[in-house]
Amino acid sequence: FGEAAKKLQGPFVPKFEDYQQVYNSIAARLEERDDYDDGSFGPVLLRLAWHCSGTYDKETGTGGSNGATMRFTPEGSHGANAGLQSARDFLDPIKEQYPWITYSDLWILGGVCAIQEMQGPKIPYRPGRSDRDVSFCTPDGRLPDASKDQKHVRAIFGRMGFDDKEMVALSGAHALGRCHEDRSGYSGPWTFSPTTLTNDYYKLLLEEKWAWKKWTGPKQFEDVKTKTLMMLPTDMALVQDKGFRPYVEKYANDNEAFFKDFSDGVVRLFELGVPFTVAEDARWTFKSSFD
Ligand code: HIF
């Protein structure tokens, strides 16, 4: 009888409410698990979603958030992805609870949830990513190298199809989280509130005095006043470059403009390389836990 009923219903097609439930479960787990460095897995979940997406190459159409190929060793062990196992492990019980969602849709939903739960803007979402096999792993070297300058930043984000304004708007995500010596080699947070999304990253870039940190690790900047904050060479490139700097100034002065452009940029980033069947105007906006 059960089988017959199932046949009548057809295959399970998840709807908005089903994805909202997954969102709620991720949000609840973020609240529960405060055993990550600043009390939240939010930053590393966002980093996972971005590193899936940021492999995209617009010329060949390869890479991007479709596939979740970071599950496989070649890509999972790329130097740039060091530490992201913790984010994947965090999401595994959610995948067990909702087996119908693909890893690739789940990892991006994790990024969306992280941003919203860290009090960032709404990030509209649509599903449609499928998991692909190891042969779809991208070659090493597609993600940015923090020791480089603006030419590199433009080359990497240009390859994904982004312009100057979008590059600066996305960069505000470095208000969140921190660098770990055992992962990237760099050390420290960018802002004083690394689990809340604000435009502080831009304000600090402009208002603080920055100097090279005196240490034996990779070259990074520290704030002269407290010596507790950091900037990567690629972060500092945003104020050194004439094309980038006006946007840094704009976002430092206008959090609303930052949130708007950040959201637009992240939506585009998270959708790179995905052959959606759902139209752009049918994206969903999830309720946050505090709405
Ligand atoms: Fe990051 N990023 N990112 N990044 N990033 C690190 C950490 C985070 C770059 C380098 C690093 C973006 C762009 C760039 C986050 C989100 C985003 C670390 C430290 C490095 C080295 C990793 C570690 O040691 O754990 C470079 C060179 C980028 C291009 C300029 C995006 C815009 C800012 C696209 C973005 O969204 C987040 C969040 C973290 C914090 C992770 C954590 O575990 O706390």
Side-chain angles (χ1 to χ4, degrees), residues 205-216:
L205 263 176
L206 293 171
E207 291 165 14
E208 290 309 311
K209 266 188 86 167
W210 297 94
W212 290 111
K213 180 179 171 75
K214 292 197 181 59
W215 75 326
T216 53

Side-chain angles (χ1 to χ4, degrees), residues 101-290:
I101 195 170
T102 60
Y103 279 100
S104 34
D105 271 340
L106 174 64
W107 290 357
I108 296 302
L109 186 52
V112 167
C113 180
I115 292 170
Q116 293 192 182
E117 294 301 306
M118 292 188 288
Q119 295 171 53
K122 295 286 189 190
I123 308 292
Y125 172 92
R126 49 183 169 155
R129 297 164 193 79
S130 50
D131 294 337
R132 301 202 283 190
D133 67 32
V134 63
S135 68
F136 287 90
C137 283
T138 43
D140 201 358
R142 288 210 178 168
L143 291 164
D145 173 346
S147 71
K148 299 249 166 82
D149 63 5
Q150 51 267 49
K151 250 179 73 187
H152 175 75
V153 174
R154 283 202 177 89
I156 294 280
F157 284 90
R159 190 206 64 222
M160 296 175 227
F162 289 109
D163 63 21
D164 280 11
K165 178 178 129 183
E166 291 172 308
M167 293 178 210
V168 179
L170 284 172
S171 296
H174 276 171
L176 301 166
R178 57 170 62 235
C179 294
H180 305 80
E181 279 190 67
D182 59 341
R183 295 180 178 178
S184 60
Y186 296 99
S187 175
W190 289 266
T191 65
F192 293 111
S193 53
T195 62
T196 307
L197 186 61
T198 65
N199 62 344
D200 281 359
Y201 168 83
Y202 306 104
K203 288 188 186 162
L204 290 161
L205 263 176
L206 293 171
E207 291 165 14
E208 290 309 311
K209 266 188 86 167
W210 297 94
W212 290 111
K213 180 179 171 75
K214 292 197 181 59
W215 75 326
T216 53
K219 287 180 83 170
Q220 67 175 64
F221 294 88
E222 70 179 6
D223 72 301
V224 171
K225 207 165 32 185
T226 71
K227 294 187 188 306
T228 55
L229 301 179
M230 69 95 58
M231 290 288 167
L232 299 164
T234 44
D235 294 309
M236 207 52 85
L238 302 186
V239 280
Q240 290 162 344
D241 183 87
K242 277 209 209 91
F244 286 145
R245 189 175 172 114
Y247 297 113
V248 176
E249 289 169 354
K250 177 178 172 175
Y251 298 138
N253 286 319
D254 188 346
N255 193 55
E256 221 172 289
F258 163 52
F259 268 24
K260 167 80 179 64
D261 293 351
F262 178 75
S263 174
D264 290 349
V266 168
V267 168
R268 223 150 86 62
L269 176 70
F270 284 1
E271 295 195 347
L272 293 175
V274 187
F276 288 105
T277 53
V278 179
E280 287 186 16
D281 60 4
R283 289 190 187 102
W284 298 323
T285 300
F286 297 111
K287 261 173 77 88
S288 305
S289 64
F290 46 82

